Amino acid sequence: MKLLGKKILLGVSGGIAAYKIPNLVRLLKKNGAEVQVLMTASAAEFASPLALATVSENKVLTEIFPDSAHEAKAEWTCHISLGEWADLFVIAPATANTIGKLASGLCDDMLSAAFLTLRPAKPRLIFPSMDGEMYFAKAVQRNLAQLKADGCEVIEPETGSLASGLTGMGRMPDPETIFDRIVKTYDSNEDAELCRAFDGKNVVVTAGATREKIDDVRFISNYSSGKMGFALAASAAKLGAKVTLITGKTALQTPQGVQRIDVESAREMLVAAEAFFTACDMFIAAAAVADYRPASPHEGKIKKSENVFEIQLVKNPDILQLFGTQKSSKQVAIGFALEAQNPMENAKEKLAKKNLDLIVLNSASEPGAGFEVDTNVVTLIGKDGTLEKLPLMSKLEVAKVILKKSSFFFGKDMLLS
Ligand SMILES: Cc1cc2nc3c(=O)[nH]c(=O)nc-3n(C[C@H](O)[C@H](O)[C@H](O)COP(=O)(O)O)c2cc1C
């Protein structure tokens, strides 16, 4: 489901390649996109509007003034609401005629009118498709240059046999290639939006296991490798954030552009973290902090003598809870939960109790998840009630999804450009 929830306006103009478009629509739908087909009158000569309506599960729109215009006011404003609704406009095939209209701002059908109403920051992909002579005609090249200057992405047609019987440049790429290009556009656009959201933000990440001293040579710890926290720090730094990584003992290398603070115990981690509580925009607690520590660690080495040796443990401070309960409404708090019993209920309880924006529920039992491995299987639970179960992914991929989801809590307006 590479395009889950994406909203695509698909403009189809009257080139011979329009017959391939139902297959493109099927691919988009299969991958979770909502598709609104806008067809020119000529396109209906090459692809069946009924077929496109069926595969898109949506009415195909052609005219600005449909027969029913006088009955329903909504139809009149349709091209405006389409531009507001969509997050991508694809035109495939784009004929010489339609390219000319779009380049000069003409809008006498639904495709060209909706094209003008798409929000400026949204990408426009244009797939010219025509005979080679037409494609290289000065007027067509001039119009394509104008569209590029207006911020559209014009994808060069392929070379091959053309409907005219000639061989040359002008073929529309296959639906699979167009689909890949659409996915790539969304990916790079989302990256750009994420970079804008994180640029200059102060992000603090805790990682790894703490060590709680029993004596000068022994400690209590856990199996956390720190990989998830390091992946989060690396991803946030790549997005332009100023990242401070407070980590327990680990052999991992410091990610590029990250300020690292090494600590040993939970209490040392708290002291280091507290120094950043007020200034940070986001606090991500990925460390596996020991819940308890020996009440009175011995100086030197405890001598072996008794058969049974008892250590009294006392509770460690809960760093995330301290941050969560004192943070301002502008600060974002993210925690992790590794729960053996009733994982969902316990994670949700933790989210509420610690006043978090997002909690990442780790699986303790699924293959490929948990400590030491490079992959993870997690479910993201947001304070807004959203729940997202991710498939097995590398920890770097998981980190990116966590940051993307968390950036939402910086304030919605940041991502709606
Ligand atoms: C059989 C046939 C195939 C055509 N193929 C193309 C084509 O691949 N590319 C193109 O730009 N025009 C092609 N045309 C011309 C367009 O259909 C024509 O310019 C039409 O006005 C385009 O209208 P539209 O841009 O509103 O869809 C073709 C015409 C015919 C009769």
Side-chain angles (χ1 to χ4, degrees):
M1 285 284 196
K2 291 179 178 166
L3 297 174
L4 192 63
K6 305 296 186 221
K7 296 179 176 120
I8 301 174
L9 284 175
L10 178 55
V12 186
S13 55
I16 180 68
Y19 80 90
K20 298 180 187 170
I21 296 304
N23 279 342
L24 172 63
V25 176
R26 288 195 64 189
L27 265 176
L28 297 172
K29 291 290 293 177
K30 222 171 87 185
N31 280 277
E34 287 179 55
V35 182
Q36 173 63 65
V37 175
L38 309 174
M39 223 177 176
T40 64
S42 314
E45 301 287 336
F46 301 98
S48 148
L50 180 59
L52 283 165
T54 308
V55 288
S56 68
E57 298 173 70
N58 229 341
K59 195 172 160 187
V60 168
L61 303 173
T62 298
E63 304 295 338
I64 296 186
F65 303 103
D67 293 342
S68 59
H70 61 284
E71 291 165 15
K73 190 171 182 290
E75 297 276 5
W76 283 83
T77 54
C78 197
H79 60 289
I80 310 283
S81 47
L82 287 174
E84 210 173 297
W85 169 83
D87 41 45
L88 174 70
F89 206 132
V90 180
I91 302 180
T95 59
N97 178 58
T98 289
I99 287 166
K101 278 166 56 176
L102 300 182
S104 50
L106 296 177
C107 48
D108 60 356
D109 59 14
M110 194 52 95
L111 189 161
S112 50
F115 187 77
L116 290 185
T117 70
L118 186 74
R119 294 300 174 261
K122 304 297 176 194
R124 294 150 164 86
L125 294 186
I126 297 179
F127 291 86
S129 163
M130 63 201 72
D131 188 81
E133 296 303 321
M134 282 175 90
Y135 180 66
F136 288 111
K138 278 189 178 163
V140 172
Q141 287 300 315
R142 193 171 59 235
N143 289 333
L144 288 172
Q146 182 60 55
L147 286 172
K148 283 184 201 166
D150 293 345
C152 300
E153 271 187 74
V154 176
I155 292 88
E156 270 205 351
E158 294 180 349
T159 302
S161 55
L162 302 167
S164 58
L166 300 170
T167 299
M169 200 167 176
R171 273 175 70 89
M172 188 183 79
D174 283 338
E176 290 74 16
T177 310
I178 298 180
F179 172 79
D180 289 346
R181 186 61 191 240
I182 289 172
V183 172
K184 205 172 126 196
T185 299
Y186 271 114
D187 284 351
S188 53
N189 222 44
E190 275 176 11
D191 283 356
E193 283 188 1
L194 256 188
C195 284
R196 277 203 294 279
F198 275 91
D199 188 37
K201 288 275 189 297
N202 279 310
V203 174
V204 176
V205 183
T206 67
T210 61
R211 288 179 171 185
E212 310 299 331
K213 262 173 103 166
I214 298 170
D215 63 16
D216 283 351
V217 294
R218 303 180 182 94
F219 55 81
I220 297 172
S221 192
N222 58 63
Y223 288 111
S224 172
S225 61
K227 284 182 176 172
M228 192 64 244
F230 273 61
L232 280 157
S235 297
K238 256 194 187 162
L239 294 172
K242 291 182 210 147
V243 183
T244 306
L245 175 63
I246 305 170
T247 179
K249 193 96 184 144
T250 165
L252 297 173
Q253 281 205 332
T254 312
Q256 232 187 350
V258 167
Q259 182 198 2
R260 171 173 174 165
I261 300 172
D262 287 283
V263 296
E264 199 170 291
S265 67
R267 285 187 297 176
E268 276 180 39
M269 190 171 269
L270 173 65
V271 171
E274 271 182 325
F276 296 92
F277 272 8
T278 31
C280 77
D281 298 292
M282 180 178 280
F283 186 80
I284 308 177
V289 180
D291 293 327
Y292 294 93
R293 67 176 185 277
S296 36
H298 288 249
E299 274 182 31
K301 185 181 172 218
I302 300 167
K303 189 109 187 85
K304 181 167 69 177
S305 55
E306 314 294 329
N307 280 342
V308 179
F309 182 76
E310 286 185 359
I311 304 171
Q312 197 187 22
L313 301 175
V314 290
K315 223 173 187 178
N316 263 332
D318 188 327
I319 303 170
L320 182 58
Q321 174 140 5
L322 282 168
F323 177 76
T325 47
Q326 73 182 56
K327 78 182 180 77
S328 78
S329 60
K330 286 188 178 152
Q331 292 178 302
V332 180
I334 298 154
F336 280 73
L338 183 71
E339 305 285 344
Q341 279 116 31
N342 302 328
M344 198 55 78
E345 291 78 33
N346 286 336
K348 282 181 182 170
E349 200 184 304
K350 210 166 167 182
L351 178 90
K353 190 174 144 208
K354 300 191 183 190
N355 190 31
L356 308 182
D357 298 276
L358 183 81
I359 193 153
V360 183
L361 176 59
N362 276 286
S363 164
S365 52
E366 286 192 55
F371 297 137
E372 288 176 343
V373 289
D374 289 322
T375 51
N376 214 351
V377 183
V378 303
T379 301
L380 309 187
I381 308 166
K383 71 170 176 194
D384 53 350
T386 52
L387 207 142
E388 197 177 342
K389 185 168 172 33
L390 305 180
L392 179 74
M393 287 172 151
S394 75
K395 283 184 174 164
L396 267 173
E397 286 170 326
V398 172
K400 200 166 160 198
V401 182
I402 293 172
L403 293 177
K404 187 174 148 194
K405 174 84 188 162
S406 315
S407 67
F408 178 80
F409 299 109
F410 278 145
K412 269 188 183 175
D413 48 331
M414 292 196 117
L415 289 183
L416 297 178
S417 46

